[in-house]
Amino acid sequence: MSARGGYLGFAGLQYVHMPLPGQHLVAFLSDGAFEEQRGSDWASRWWRADDSGPVVPVMIANGRRIDQRTTMSQAGGTDWFEDHLVLNGFAPLTIDGRDPAAFVWAILTAEAELADQAEQARAGHARYPLRLPYVIAETVKGFGFPGAGTNAAHNLPLVGNPASDEAARRLFHEGAAALHVAESELRAAIATLNNHAESERVRERDHPLAHPHPDLPTLPEPLAWPLGERISPMAAIDEAFAALVAANPGLRVRVGNPDEMRSNRLNLTLDRLKHRVTDPEPGVAEALDGAVITALNEEAVVSAALANKQGLNLVASYEAFAVKMLGAMRQEIIFARHCREAGRPPGWLSLPVLASSHTWENGKNEQSHQDPTLCEAWLGEMDDVAPTLFPVDAPSAAAALQALYASRGRIAVMVVPKSPMAVRLTEEQATRLAEDGLLCLHEAASPRLQLFAVGAYQLAEMEHALARLERADVATSLYVIQEPGKLREARDEDEASAVLSQCRLSTLVPEVAARVFLAHCRPEPLAGVLRPLDTGARSRFLGYRNRGGTLDTFGMLFANRATWAHVLEAASEVARLDLDALLSADEQAALAGEGDPEVLR
């Protein structure tokens, strides 16, 4: 196994979480990738013989990156790296990276040593973490070509074109001579290795990890909550996921957790699955075989879930810090699309990345914890592989989760409140919202104005604004948008299969000139996504305006001009309403910054 994308190093974070028992995996890594992405040091903490097949990492240690030597090379080379590996629970094996036979010996030796350690652990004679083998293949960059071991090995080391330049051709042949194998020897080696039938060795192309395709999970009966009851949508997801795990014991589970499971209301999930540790602390939700991979490193924990492609996965993070996962997530959806284009649609079960403790409910930690960047970036990706969801209550959150697990090859960012929110939707409404991405909650006859909420706190503000509008006899329809990407103009045929047709959208949302949108995220990226609903001068988009601090939810809404009163102010402009009929003098003064904002609370 090897992987390469825009970011180096994710293969080093993922290989240990990939094989199921009985499956063998050799992962080829680079020393440059080790330098770029930290977290692979923890692999020995995560591996267990009872739920994983043997893994053998092989680092090609050539000592160079593009402009200079690797930091490892500068720090002392492979001798330094061997000491580093020993300190982090590995058993290093250093070989000549220019000798094919050395690779074979090292892989067989590493697997045998790991199998012996696993047997010792089962017999009670060894404790986890085991000494995970790690092969270091020493070589030079560009071995067999001119410029080997220098910066030139990264580019075109020949001074001319060997097809037309005699000197360049001579240099090429002199370097490549080190790689030459006589044809007779090469054919004999191929025949020796091509013995899959006799050895019952699976061909690499047929390895389960090449085309993972677990059965779709059994979905439990949907949960039900009474209308009006205040339930944390994250707690609803917790209940739904715990039930899903119980209904599918044959699927290995990985939960990626950078820090606080309980703060994000995933108590049932944590109590059932437990943090994976090597020395469980009594009275704490920890276990040797825990399925929750916890480390203060967002890239490492999201990689645990991305790697478990034959199982069931969940990732949960504070919204502000989940953005660190973006690079790893994006590599996966790009590859998923490439697989589909090649006629091999991805078969792994779709994965939710939950962004909670989010922008509007994280006042105690100031603006560092108030950042909707991840959902904004994800809205720019293709909706067929990368939906962005904003459930507004417990039923919509649980329904969205189940709909996602009934699909394959998608990574969804789900922005979910952890604080209790009133149950606004019935089970049937939540299902329709998951299917269409949009739902009309209040339909007026011949509406003068349409309101659109994206996010749970935003819906609460829109409902308050609707009540004022109705009191003033302004016919107004209210919509909730859970999946904005479903409403966009499709950018290619694959995305067209995941978004609503313009005919369907016009049926769900009749033409009305005056529209106000209130978003969880910054309004500018949302306006681009919702272009089909934008009526131009008579549409207003409100949302996060980069204002924050040690503020409660109302304080955040007010600072960002995103309260119900600001919605009415925008509505008066686009629908040409008399603001005096909607807001009192004190409320208008608060909007203008000349009165007490508390009158709007």
Side-chain angles (χ1 to χ4, degrees), residues 127-172:
R127 298 179 67 237
Y128 284 96
L130 303 184
R131 287 280 177 184
L132 206 63
Y134 200 114
V135 178
I136 308 169
E138 287 187 304
T139 184
V140 294
K141 186 76 174 180
F143 172 68
F145 293 93
T150 71
N151 281 342
H154 270 284
N155 205 331
L156 302 173
L158 299 177
V159 294
N161 185 343
S164 55
D165 186 309
E166 173 61 32
R169 187 160 55 248
R170 184 177 65 258
L171 285 173
F172 174 82

